[in-house]
Structures are given as structure tokens and as C-alpha cells.
Amino acid sequence: MKIGLASDHAGYALKEHLRQWLDAKNIPYIDYGTGSPESVNYAVYGHRLAAAVESGEADKGIAICGTGNGIGMTLNKHRDIRAAVCWNEETARLARAHNDANILALPGRLITAEDAERMVETFLRTAFEGGRHEERIRTIPIPTSN
Ligand code: RB5
């Protein structure tokens, strides 16, 4: 399983922390930026990560901005992306179990590094429950006319 990482400046410090955490656990990742704490537009990095997950270059993603909202909104413009803004372990667990989320969007300015580690761990180990949730997630994308 290869993880894609992306953040803006507000999520940069937490992304760097999670890189070290993933290294320590021998979990492979690709970092799609940003590469410094300089102010940037979260949409640029959100689109890069979404494209990587949609193409299969990354299996799942972790996206971080100040609140999780801007980058989450960007990610969810992509048809095959289900990005979930989560703020504790239970929202991260349900995002996988019920929504089959493929990207965890985190509010870098509102959570601790330890909170983030617990959420990522839960997100990565929780399987989609399927069943009644299959039809729900299948009908999230806006239907195409043809
Ligand atoms: C950056 O200041 C901040 O607006 C951004 O990281 C994010 O929280 C937007 O949704």
C-alpha cells in the first residue's frame, strides 16, 4: 500500500511529522508537496494528490490544510475521490467503514501530531464494510448524461 501525501503551508509541519512517522513504520509514501512553510494554494496540491489516487499511483491519500476543508473540497471535485475531513479516531474509522474514503483530510491547525497519528493508523487499518453502504457510495458521483 502506497500513501500519497499533500498539504498547503498550514499543513506542512504536520505532513513533515507524518513523513517521519510513516518512515518509522516502513509504510511507503509519495509526497506531492508542498515542500516548505511558504504560503501556497491548497488547491494545487489537492488536485495533484487526487490525480495520483485516481490513477492508482497512490492507493490512499492523506491531505492536510489548516481546517481540512479547502483541500477536502478540492479533492472531492474529482469523480473517484472520496475525501473525508476527520477530527478524531471515530470519524476516521467511519470514513473508511461506511464511506470507503480513499483520502483522509486533516485540519492541521486544529489537531495535535498525536491525534493525527491515531487517525492515520485507524484510517489505514479499517476496511470498508460494504453491504448497505455499497449503493450509497456508488451514487455519490453526479450521474453523467450518456
Ligand atoms: C490557509 O491560511 C488556510 O485558509 C487553509 O489552510 C485552509 O484551512 C483552507 O480551507
Side-chain angles (χ1 to χ4, degrees), residues 3-8 11-12 15 30-34 42 44-50 61-65 71 75 103-104 106:
I3 309 302
L5 299 176
S7 78
D8 71 355
Y12 175 71
K15 179 167 65 65
I30 304 171
D31 189 346
Y32 294 97
T34 186
Y42 50 76
V44 171
Y45 302 94
H47 286 307
R48 282 186 195 164
L49 176 61
I62 301 167
I64 316 165
C65 67
I71 205 161
L75 293 159
I103 300 184
L104 173 66
L106 295 174

Side-chain angles (χ1 to χ4, degrees), residues 8-10 42 65-70 109:
D8 71 355
H9 54 288
Y42 50 76
C65 67
T67 60
N69 284 329
R109 286 181 172 155

